Amino acid sequence: MFHLLFTYFFFTLYVNFHVVINPVFHQMGDPIQLKDEGNKHFQAGDIDKAIECYTKAIKECKDKNTLAVIHRNRSACYLKKENYASAASDASKAIDIDAADIKALYRRCQALEKLGKLDMAFKDVQRCATLEPKNKTFLETLRRLGAEIQAKLKTTFSTDSRVQNMFDILLNEEMEKDKREKAANNLIVLSREDAGAERIFQNNGVPLLLNMIETGKPEMILAAIRTLSGMCTGHKARAMAIIHMVGVDKMCSIMAIDNEEIALATCNLFQCINDSLTGGDSREYGKEEALVLDASKDLKTILLSLLEMVASKKVSGHGRDQALNLLTKNVPRKDRKDKNNSRTLFTIDQGLKKILKVCGQVPELPDQLPLTENTQLIASVLLNKLYDDLTCDPERNNFRDVCDEYIKSKIDPNNMDKTLHAVNVISGLLQGPFDVGNALVGHQGIMEMMVALCGSEREVDQMVAVEALIHSSTKMSRASFIITNGVSLLKDIYKKTTNERIKIRALVGLCKLGSAGGDDYSLRQFAEGSTEKLAKQCRKWLCNPQIDTKTRKWAIEGLAYLSNDADVKDDFVEDELALKAMFELAKSRDKTILYAVACTLVNCTNCYDKKEIIPELVQLAKFSKQHVPEQHPKDKKDFIEKRVKRLLKAGVTSALAVMVKADSSILTDQTKEMLARVFLALSEDARDRGTIVAQGGGKALIPLALEGTDTGKVKASHALAKIAAVSNPEIAFPGERMYEVVRPLVSLLHTDREGIQNFEALKGLTNLAGYSEKLRKKIVKEKALPDIENYMFEEQDQIRQAATECMCNLVTCKEVQDRYLEDGNDKMKLLVLLCGEDDDKLQIAAGGALAMITAAQKKLCTKLTRVTPQWLEILQRLCLHTNPNIQHRGIVIVYNMLNSDDNELAKKLIESEMLEILSVIGKAADNPKRQEVIDAARACLVKAMDLDLIKPFTSPS
């Protein structure tokens, strides 16, 4: 009973509940009814209720087309509510269902316009206008948006707006890091264009850049300094204004920061300013030139400030390096023809003692100036440049007197630290102006003091003294003094000391003394086998990564001296680990090592200058009991070639490429010359040139060929010529570098160069000329044509052939053709006569040049017949030649002459034996090996028929 009652109650409740809620279920489940209701609310202006109905309808709707309509309607509601993001989103959903929904497209256009996305809005209304081309609303919107987009673009891309926008981003600390980096880079790029630099300057740019510097953040400082460099480049007025707005002291304080990148960037800023104020940057920038006041005061202020930085304890090692670099680059005269060396004299007067102070620093002692591994060498290089720039004996005497006075003031028997400073100054001078250092060492008691310091109990005394002895024993006389007085002392230090740093220096001293005879086998200073033992110990230290770089570099110093001995060279190149260790050190940040590495490589490859041994003079010397130099058996050609192969295998080229990129003041002209010599030795075998190119050798040679000693530039140019002759220019010298190669090669064409240099330069230029029209024009621009034409007259067969091949590749250039068109020269005659030579390769080159030039310039076909009476005979010989390449060129020349619009010339050719020659060749059966020749002959015969000079052969009917 209870069960029945419960069932009845539940059923009644269900029926009643169903009757009450069923209408609601019905309303929620009908999207069309909800849509219609939403439409009524929209028309009545009740937008919120309309959105509510449309939202419910979207949840219930399953039909895609109906759903598109509802989304489109709700998009209209959101437009009314100014909720443009939602309006655009709903319209997009409708368009996704029906891409041609014109109402949805226009509503999205309206929403996107309000959101500022004008380009996207323009695309939507453009689509609407395509669907309804006569709709005035669409057309008006299209016109209006187009105008707005143009206006916005103009504003967005105007320099003023870009500048302000970049500064806003950079000085906003909440901005994302990548956006700030991008803005910094854009600002730097903009500053490198004159219009952009001027806009930055006019738009309060300098104070804003100073604000960036004041943030103290390295990346902001870098961006600001690089932007200032761009603004100062080549513009005197702006450079002077920036000096006064920023202040020289401020710039110096930035360069003094202990950050290598910032110091380098500030050094570049100073250089840009200097170039602009002195006219070092020769670009013209208009009327500003006349407005600039005298810049000498500012230049003097900068010079004094840099000299102050040199000896200031507040300056970091990197900052000091860059101050010294700027002095090295800008104080000595660049051209010795300029008689004014007042900047050098002023620097010696105001700053020589400061530079000597840097040389004298002993990092192991307390209270020293902050230095890098390179600082003292850079100071020595600067001293050398200043001394070299002096013009007379009184100036040189003054330089020596200042140095002498400074050293005497530091020698104090009661203060060993000051005395060490004096000894280190002498070491610095011996690495710089050697004559000055050598004279100081010769003063009474100096050498004895060095020897005495070697016996000191303090390790730092021993280390400084041994280094000074090493530097001072460069000349034979000094070496002889130390061999007599100091060898036993050095050996004693080497054996007794436990300090590796002193031990290795003592060893290098012994190495240097052991090599005092150079590569003269008969002048060995030590007993047989001693130098090999010393070298073995140097290699052992070199390969020990636990020893610091500054100490390991002394092992290379030792090898630089010992590798004069061919036994040492051979052992060293066989030790691949030692070679690789040296190359890794050459790539390290310590660039003081470069000279020693370069010396070692020069010795290993035997690429130093060798005196020619004349047998008669040798006999005379022996008769008169004079010393006769002897060559080591392992210094013969086959041994040298093996050593070169071993060096290449160990990766010498990549090490050389890194060395070339070193700081310019460290990489002295002498070091550059040695690197150029090594490159030339490495590129001797054509099979090795691909390896050199692959490891960056081609690129590295270009700066060596353009800067340095005259000998170094010639050697580097010769190496470039060897590489250019056999390599694809695009791979060997990528990008714009291939155009930089032309000038060094042209420099080798001068008559004072060796024949092999002329020949290989011509081969290199031939390869370049065959690559592109732009390169051909570059060769012409470098005025190479007269030299190339001159070598076409050369008696030496190979040079003459190379010059003719080069001309063959150049004749497609319009400027070259114009030279052949000129009257009063023998250029055309020479080409014709070269075609008559017996050398096949020469005939191919000359015939090719004639074929191309007569095809390009029809007037030359007639000129060809006037240059020599032998022209027809030579042409017939070409056409009858057994070599298909020569024969083909001859027949092409004949075709060009038939095609030259000179009917008399064509008639003369056909009336000669040439017709019979062409007929015999043209009637021959097809032959793949000679097909080009046969086809060319047939083309000539067809041309003759076209000119009605011959009739086609027809058989009788």
Side-chain angles (χ1 to χ4, degrees):
M1 183 67 182
F2 176 79
H3 177 70
L4 288 171
L5 282 169
F6 180 79
T7 304
Y8 175 78
F9 173 76
F10 184 79
F11 175 75
T12 309
L13 185 63
Y14 169 74
V15 171
N16 291 336
F17 180 74
H18 178 72
V19 169
V20 173
I21 65 171
N22 192 44
V24 179
F25 270 140
H26 175 73
Q27 187 180 339
M28 285 186 70
D30 190 352
I32 293 172
Q33 190 175 336
L34 284 167
K35 182 198 73 158
D36 293 341
E37 195 171 330
N39 291 349
K40 288 175 185 175
H41 288 306
F42 182 80
Q43 287 163 3
D46 193 345
I47 305 302
D48 289 333
K49 282 190 177 179
I51 291 172
E52 188 182 332
C53 289
Y54 291 141
T55 304
K56 289 175 183 176
I58 288 166
K59 288 178 182 175
E60 296 298 320
C61 189
K62 300 290 187 270
D63 179 60
K64 280 189 177 181
N65 293 328
T66 306
L67 193 61
V69 174
I70 300 168
H71 274 299
R72 185 178 71 198
N73 291 356
R74 192 170 69 168
S75 174
C77 294
Y78 284 134
L79 280 172
K80 290 277 188 184
K81 296 288 288 181
E82 298 183 4
N83 185 348
Y84 301 117
S86 297
S89 174
D90 267 350
S92 294
K93 287 170 184 172
I95 294 162
D96 288 342
I97 296 166
D98 180 5
D101 188 335
I102 202 162
K103 287 184 179 179
L105 281 165
Y106 189 65
R107 282 170 192 167
R108 188 170 70 177
C109 162
Q110 291 173 299
L112 290 170
E113 182 186 354
K114 294 293 185 180
L115 290 168
K117 298 177 181 180
L118 300 183
D119 51 341
M120 294 168 72
F122 185 82
K123 285 180 183 177
D124 281 345
V125 77
Q126 199 173 37
R127 177 79 177 133
C128 292
T130 306
L131 293 169
E132 288 187 18
K134 293 182 180 179
N135 188 309
K136 290 182 180 179
T137 304
F138 296 159
L139 294 173
E140 174 57 29
T141 308
L142 194 63
R143 185 201 59 73
R144 180 172 50 77
L145 283 177
E148 284 180 23
I149 287 169
Q150 290 303 316
K152 186 178 179 183
L153 283 172
K154 194 172 180 181
T155 307
T156 304
F157 289 103
S158 70
T159 311
D160 292 353
S161 170
R162 284 165 67 197
V163 169
Q164 193 55 53
N165 189 37
M166 286 173 213
F167 279 120
D168 289 344
I169 293 168
L170 284 165
L171 296 168
N172 182 357
E173 292 192 7
E174 295 177 5
M175 190 63 69
E176 296 165 20
K177 187 182 177 184
D178 59 335
K179 285 188 178 178
R180 292 173 77 183
E181 285 176 3
K182 190 176 179 182
N185 289 330
N186 287 342
L187 198 63
I188 295 163
V189 171
L190 192 65
S191 71
R192 289 173 183 165
E193 302 166 6
D194 188 53
E198 190 60 30
R199 284 295 177 200
I200 296 171
F201 186 77
Q202 297 292 348
N203 282 274
N204 202 34
V206 177
L208 288 168
L209 289 167
L210 283 169
N211 288 346
M212 286 170 63
I213 290 167
E214 292 304 322
T215 62
K217 295 178 180 177
E219 66 276 9
M220 298 291 273
I221 297 171
L222 266 176
I225 294 296
R226 285 169 178 165
T227 304
L228 286 169
S229 298
M231 292 166 70
C232 290
T233 300
H235 199 294
K236 290 183 181 180
R238 207 158 48 225
M240 283 188 78
I242 286 169
I243 290 171
H244 293 286
M245 292 172 81
V246 177
V248 175
D249 289 343
K250 179 68 177 175
M251 286 191 272
C252 288
S253 70
I254 297 165
M255 194 160 78
I257 295 171
D258 191 14
N259 181 305
E260 187 175 7
E261 217 175 351
I262 290 173
L264 192 60
T266 315
C267 171
N268 185 52
L269 171 59
F270 271 118
Q271 191 60 53
C272 292
I273 290 169
N274 181 81
D275 290 347
S276 295
L277 299 189
T278 59
D281 188 310
S282 58
R283 283 176 284 182
E284 293 181 9
Y285 284 94
K287 295 177 182 176
E288 289 86 354
E289 301 287 328
L291 304 175
V292 178
L293 301 170
D294 181 17
S296 57
K297 188 177 177 182
D298 288 317
L299 288 168
K300 188 176 179 181
T301 303
I302 291 170
L303 180 55
L304 283 167
S305 298
L306 292 174
L307 288 170
E308 282 300 316
M309 285 186 75
V310 165
S312 170
K313 285 187 178 179
K314 295 177 182 177
V315 176
S316 70
H318 296 302
R320 201 176 320 280
D321 284 0
Q322 298 310 330
L324 290 164
N325 280 334
L326 284 164
L327 292 168
T328 303
K329 190 170 182 182
N330 298 302
V331 171
R333 291 167 296 166
K334 289 181 174 63
D335 187 353
R336 291 304 167 92
K337 292 176 185 175
D338 177 10
K339 293 181 181 179
N340 181 11
N341 67 340
S342 57
R343 283 172 69 83
T344 295
L345 298 175
F346 180 80
T347 302
I348 290 169
D349 185 42
Q350 299 292 324
L352 181 54
K353 289 181 180 178
K354 293 182 173 75
I355 302 165
L356 292 172
K357 181 179 178 180
V358 174
C359 288
Q361 297 301 295
V362 183
E364 290 76 15
L365 294 177
D367 199 32
Q368 301 294 296
L369 297 175
L371 307 174
T372 69
E373 302 94 334
N374 304 318
T375 308
Q376 288 174 299
L377 182 59
I378 298 172
S380 295
V381 170
L382 173 57
L383 289 172
N384 191 46
K385 293 257 186 184
L386 292 172
Y387 187 71
D388 280 351
D389 199 44
L390 300 176
T391 56
C392 58
D393 286 342
E395 289 176 1
R396 293 187 192 96
N397 290 336
N398 176 59
F399 188 100
R400 291 192 197 99
D401 290 344
V402 172
C403 294
D404 192 23
E405 182 191 326
Y406 183 82
I407 287 165
K408 282 179 181 174
S409 72
K410 296 296 177 185
I411 294 174
D412 184 352
N414 300 317
N415 188 334
M416 195 55 71
D417 288 1
K418 281 183 75 177
T419 304
L420 279 185
H421 184 89
V423 173
N424 232 19
V425 172
I426 294 172
S427 281
L429 287 165
L430 287 163
Q431 292 174 81
F434 181 81
D435 291 346
V436 177
N438 199 40
L440 291 169
V441 171
H443 287 185
Q444 188 174 2
I446 296 289
M447 188 65 82
E448 290 78 4
M449 181 178 69
M450 291 181 190
V451 173
L453 279 170
C454 287
S456 168
E457 292 181 4
R458 250 193 352 169
E459 289 183 341
V460 67
D461 298 348
Q462 293 179 25
M463 191 158 62
V464 170
V466 170
E467 283 189 24
L469 281 174
I470 291 166
H471 294 308
S472 62
S473 61
T474 298
K475 282 202 172 178
M476 239 341 230
S477 58
R478 300 277 168 238
S480 301
F481 173 88
I482 299 172
I483 286 170
T484 308
N485 299 283
V487 168
S488 57
L489 186 61
L490 287 172
K491 283 183 178 177
D492 198 44
I493 292 172
Y494 177 67
K495 288 174 183 174
K496 288 182 180 178
T497 186
T498 55
N499 187 320
E500 293 279 320
R501 299 169 71 194
I502 297 171
K503 201 179 191 75
I504 199 167
R505 284 162 174 77
L507 177 67
V508 171
L510 292 169
C511 292
K512 192 168 186 180
L513 298 173
S515 66
D519 68 343
D520 186 348
Y521 188 46
S522 62
L523 268 184
R524 288 190 165 204
Q525 298 291 323
F526 293 159
E528 185 76 34
S530 296
T531 49
E532 287 94 311
K533 286 179 183 176
L534 290 172
K536 189 175 180 182
Q537 186 57 53
C538 283
R539 298 204 312 271
K540 186 179 173 184
W541 268 316
L542 182 59
C543 294
N544 187 350
Q546 293 179 338
I547 299 174
D548 64 280
T549 302
K550 194 173 181 182
T551 304
R552 286 167 71 203
K553 82 171 182 184
W554 282 99
I556 301 176
E557 286 273 353
L559 288 166
Y561 299 125
L562 294 174
S563 55
N564 281 307
D565 186 314
D567 287 317
V568 171
K569 300 177 200 180
D570 251 33
D571 291 344
F572 183 41
V573 296
E574 290 297 322
D575 188 345
E576 194 168 335
L577 285 175
L579 281 179
K580 287 186 174 176
M582 182 174 79
F583 297 154
E584 285 305 311
L585 281 177
K587 296 174 186 177
S588 69
R589 292 175 68 180
D590 184 352
K591 299 301 177 188
T592 57
I593 205 166
L594 298 183
Y595 187 80
V597 174
C599 282
T600 307
L601 292 172
V602 164
N603 288 339
C604 288
T605 53
N606 282 54
C607 54
Y608 41 77
D609 286 330
K610 305 168 192 72
K611 289 181 182 177
E612 188 181 354
I613 298 173
I614 301 167
E616 291 82 2
L617 291 179
V618 170
Q619 291 300 320
L620 187 64
K622 284 180 178 177
F623 179 75
S624 60
K625 296 184 180 177
Q626 296 292 317
H627 172 70
V628 180
E630 290 180 29
Q631 186 185 40
H632 195 291
K634 289 185 178 178
D635 273 335
K636 291 180 180 173
K637 190 177 179 182
D638 53 342
F639 282 95
I640 297 169
E641 286 173 358
K642 285 178 185 174
R643 289 201 288 268
V644 166
K645 301 288 183 192
R646 297 286 301 178
L647 287 168
L648 284 166
K649 186 183 175 187
V652 65
T653 311
S654 60
L656 288 170
V658 172
M659 290 165 74
V660 171
K661 292 178 186 174
D663 187 280
S664 58
S665 57
I666 293 267
L667 196 67
T668 60
D669 288 347
Q670 289 74 21
T671 309
K672 287 178 188 174
E673 182 183 318
M674 288 193 288
L675 296 179
R677 287 176 181 274
V678 175
F679 266 121
L680 182 57
L682 295 174
S683 58
E684 199 62 43
D685 188 339
R687 291 169 295 182
D688 295 329
R689 293 171 200 168
T691 305
I692 294 169
V693 166
Q695 294 178 1
K699 187 168 61 175
L701 272 165
I702 295 170
L704 294 178
L706 297 173
E707 297 173 2
T709 64
D710 290 339
T711 303
K713 288 192 283 189
V714 170
K715 300 284 184 189
S717 298
H718 193 183
L720 273 176
K722 285 177 180 287
I723 290 168
V726 298
S727 306
N728 180 340
E730 203 169 29
I731 296 170
F733 317 107
E736 293 296 309
R737 290 189 186 90
M738 69 175 83
Y739 304 103
E740 294 176 40
V741 177
V742 173
R743 185 173 295 172
L745 298 194
V746 172
S747 72
L748 292 180
L749 297 181
H750 297 162
T751 49
D752 58 346
R753 303 281 179 251
E754 295 172 17
I756 185 66
Q757 293 170 344
N758 300 152
F759 172 72
E760 290 188 317
L762 287 166
K763 296 294 281 183
L765 288 169
T766 301
N767 193 17
L768 293 175
Y771 185 73
S772 74
E773 180 65 13
K774 195 173 175 184
L775 273 169
R776 287 190 283 275
K777 286 183 177 178
K778 176 69 174 171
I779 293 168
V780 173
K781 190 179 178 183
E782 291 295 338
K783 300 178 181 175
L785 283 179
D787 288 320
I788 296 168
E789 288 162 355
N790 185 41
Y791 287 119
M792 289 170 72
F793 289 95
E794 177 68 40
E795 289 182 13
Q796 211 281 340
D797 292 341
Q798 285 181 303
I799 293 178
R800 182 173 53 173
Q801 179 199 316
T804 310
E805 287 173 350
C806 190
M807 186 56 70
C808 179
N809 282 354
L810 286 169
V811 290
T812 57
C813 189
K814 182 69 169 59
E815 289 88 339
V816 179
Q817 293 166 14
D818 290 343
R819 288 172 72 88
Y820 278 85
L821 285 165
E822 290 169 5
D823 292 327
N825 63 62
D826 291 332
K827 294 179 178 63
M828 198 70 184
K829 181 178 180 179
L830 178 61
L831 269 186
V832 176
L833 292 176
L834 288 175
C835 288
E837 292 285 331
D838 292 330
D839 185 323
D840 280 15
K841 289 182 179 176
L842 189 58
Q843 281 184 297
I844 288 170
L850 261 185
M852 286 192 284
I853 204 165
T854 51
Q857 297 290 342
K858 292 184 177 182
K859 289 179 182 178
L860 290 175
C861 294
T862 307
K863 188 175 182 179
L864 185 154
T865 65
R866 296 175 187 157
V867 292
T868 173
Q870 299 168 291
W871 70 270
L872 186 56
E873 182 190 338
I874 290 169
L875 199 52
Q876 287 172 350
R877 283 180 60 195
L878 287 179
C879 294
L880 288 168
H881 207 284
T882 54
N883 186 327
N885 288 323
I886 297 172
Q887 194 177 21
H888 180 248
R889 284 160 172 74
I891 295 172
V892 169
I893 295 167
V894 172
Y895 178 83
N896 293 340
M897 295 171 84
L898 290 171
N899 195 40
S900 66
D901 302 334
D902 185 340
N903 292 331
E904 288 302 314
L905 172 56
K907 189 177 178 183
K908 191 172 183 179
L909 273 174
I910 295 303
E911 287 175 354
S912 72
E913 293 175 2
M914 187 62 75
L915 176 60
E916 188 179 342
I917 296 168
L918 294 172
S919 299
V920 171
I921 298 168
K923 287 177 182 178
D926 288 353
N927 181 345
K929 291 181 180 178
R930 301 177 61 81
Q931 197 60 44
E932 277 189 330
V933 175
I934 295 166
D935 289 345
R938 289 171 182 170
C940 288
L941 292 169
V942 170
K943 187 66 186 174
M945 288 180 206
D946 292 344
L947 295 169
D948 287 331
L949 296 174
I950 59 173
K951 300 292 181 186
F953 177 78
T954 54
S955 56
S957 55

